[in-house]
Amino acid sequence: MASIIERLTDVSFLASIATAIAVAATVIAIGLPILERNEIKRKMKSVALERDRIRAREGERLQQSGRGGAKPTLRSTPGEFAKRIVDRFSLRSWLSTEVAAERLMRAGFRGPKAETTFLVARLFAPLGTLAFASFYMLINKGFGLPFGAQAMIVLAALYFGVKLPELYLSNITSKRQASMRKAFPDSLDLLLICVESGMSIEMAFRKVASEIGSASVPMAEELALTNAELSYLPDRRMAYENLAKRTNLDSVKSVTTVLIQAERYGTPLGHALRVLAQESRDQRMIAAEKKAAGLPPKLTVPMIVFFMPALFIVILTPALIQIFKWK
């Protein structure tokens, strides 16, 4: 403990730590804009690949029905090694589910390559955590624990490996939904302006997707993909329903319902979109106020642990100095 305190009070050590933090902050500040631009390019490329997949699927459907002759082509195929593993162990039959496919779409992973990678991850993640836990317990001689406790630790590591891909998907999905929820009122305002200016709904989606990318890449990606589905799917209602299913946001579901009703009955979109945009802004403000209202209880423990001791030291130290001086 004395060596640790001496190390923490060493001026050269503290200076090196401050220098390392400054260098890391500089690298992050320079690298984040570059990574963000690369992320936008990657997402737009994935949208283009998804558009090609939709076109290929619809061309194959038309070819089978005798109404067209478009030969399906794909730019990207799953990795051969991962695909062989999936086919060899029949992972698609006992690891893949419809819920997993929906969660992949909500996390922004689409196409056969993403599904194949997810299936391989669900196979190897438990094996990897099991091997790591067993090896770690072996080299540390089980930390002196009984065999039952060691077995429980290994089983817990195995369970963590089973849940690890799902936790990763949940984390990515929550981040995407937070980004889309924040940018959706602005997207709705832009969509309203485009519709009231006389644009078609396809052109409006395309324009909003190009403009909202700087604020939310996932929102731009979903709108661009919806625009592609509106162009290639036989039923436009399917494109709106797919948008609501991929985002899984109540505000987006409300808009898709309005769009479906307008498509079916020919009702005007302007007034409905204006009302929904106002409701989305109100919901965003309510969420911000809710976070602000929950801040004081969260600050209670940090204030007691960090602020109050320092405050007492500042207040009582002069009085204690005077008391000891008079003594």
Side-chain angles (χ1 to χ4, degrees):
M1 183 60 69
S3 61
I4 294 175
I5 295 175
E6 182 181 358
R7 190 68 173 172
L8 291 177
T9 54
D10 188 3
V11 178
S12 61
F13 177 74
L14 295 177
S16 62
I17 293 295
T19 304
I21 293 174
V23 171
T26 304
V27 171
I28 292 173
I30 296 174
L32 279 180
I34 300 174
L35 292 177
E36 186 176 358
R37 287 196 293 268
N38 293 336
E39 181 70 11
I40 294 175
K41 291 181 181 179
R42 186 181 69 84
K43 292 295 184 181
M44 292 300 105
K45 183 178 179 181
S46 67
V47 170
L49 295 176
E50 184 69 13
R51 184 170 59 246
D52 289 343
R53 189 179 68 85
I54 295 172
R55 183 171 61 237
R57 186 184 63 200
E58 294 304 315
E60 184 179 2
R61 185 185 62 81
L62 292 175
Q63 186 179 17
Q64 291 177 356
S65 60
R67 292 181 292 169
K71 185 178 179 180
T73 58
L74 289 176
R75 293 184 191 175
S76 178
T77 56
E80 292 297 328
F81 178 72
K83 190 174 184 299
R84 285 198 300 268
I85 292 177
V86 172
D87 295 337
R88 183 178 182 86
F89 294 99
S90 301
L91 300 182
R92 204 176 303 275
S93 60
W94 60 279
L95 287 181
S96 180
T97 60
E98 186 177 354
V99 177
E102 291 183 2
R103 295 183 67 179
L104 282 171
M105 286 193 302
R106 292 171 185 171
F109 304 113
R110 303 180 183 88
K113 185 175 181 179
E115 186 178 1
T116 302
T117 305
F118 179 69
L119 293 177
V120 173
R122 293 193 70 179
L123 174 65
F124 285 106
L127 299 178
T129 54
L130 177 64
F132 176 77
S134 301
F135 178 74
Y136 194 73
M137 295 294 292
L138 181 63
I139 62 175
N140 289 281
K141 298 180 180 179
F143 297 100
L145 298 174
F147 179 76
Q150 297 180 24
M152 290 297 295
I153 293 175
V154 172
L155 291 177
L158 178 63
Y159 180 77
F160 176 74
V162 171
K163 291 296 181 181
L164 186 60
E166 298 180 5
L167 293 175
Y168 176 75
L169 281 184
S170 299
N171 187 26
I172 297 296
T173 303
S174 62
K175 290 182 179 179
R176 281 175 56 86
Q177 288 180 343
S179 176
M180 290 187 290
R181 191 180 293 109
K182 183 178 180 181
F184 185 70
D186 298 332
S187 304
L188 207 53
D189 289 334
L190 292 174
L191 186 64
L192 174 62
I193 294 172
C194 293
V195 169
E196 289 187 340
S197 65
M199 287 186 181
S200 64
I201 194 65
E202 293 90 347
M203 290 297 298
F205 271 111
R206 182 182 303 175
K207 184 66 176 177
V208 175
S210 63
E211 294 293 334
I212 206 63
S214 59
S216 174
V217 175
M219 192 78 253
E221 181 186 3
E222 296 299 337
L223 293 178
L225 186 56
T226 303
N227 180 34
E229 289 182 343
L230 287 172
S231 302
Y232 294 111
L233 291 180
D235 189 1
R236 297 164 66 88
R237 178 178 180 179
M238 295 172 59
Y240 299 135
E241 291 178 348
N242 290 338
L243 175 62
K245 186 184 298 183
R246 290 194 305 268
T247 57
N248 197 28
L249 296 175
D250 294 335
S251 55
V252 178
K253 291 178 182 179
S254 301
V255 173
T256 54
T257 302
V258 170
L259 293 174
I260 291 172
Q261 290 177 354
E263 188 76 24
R264 176 178 298 179
Y265 302 110
T267 56
L269 285 174
H271 178 69
L273 290 178
R274 187 176 290 106
V275 172
L276 289 174
Q278 184 62 40
E279 289 181 354
S280 297
R281 285 192 294 269
D282 293 340
Q283 290 177 359
R284 185 170 61 179
M285 183 59 67
I286 290 172
E289 292 176 352
K290 183 179 179 181
K291 287 184 178 180
L295 192 59
K298 295 179 181 178
L299 287 176
T300 302
V301 175
M303 287 186 65
I304 294 174
V305 175
F306 299 104
F307 289 97
M308 297 300 290
L311 184 62
F312 283 132
I313 290 172
V314 171
I315 294 175
L316 297 178
T317 299
L320 293 176
I321 292 175
Q322 294 294 328
I323 291 172
F324 290 131
K325 182 179 180 181
W326 283 105
K327 287 183 177 181

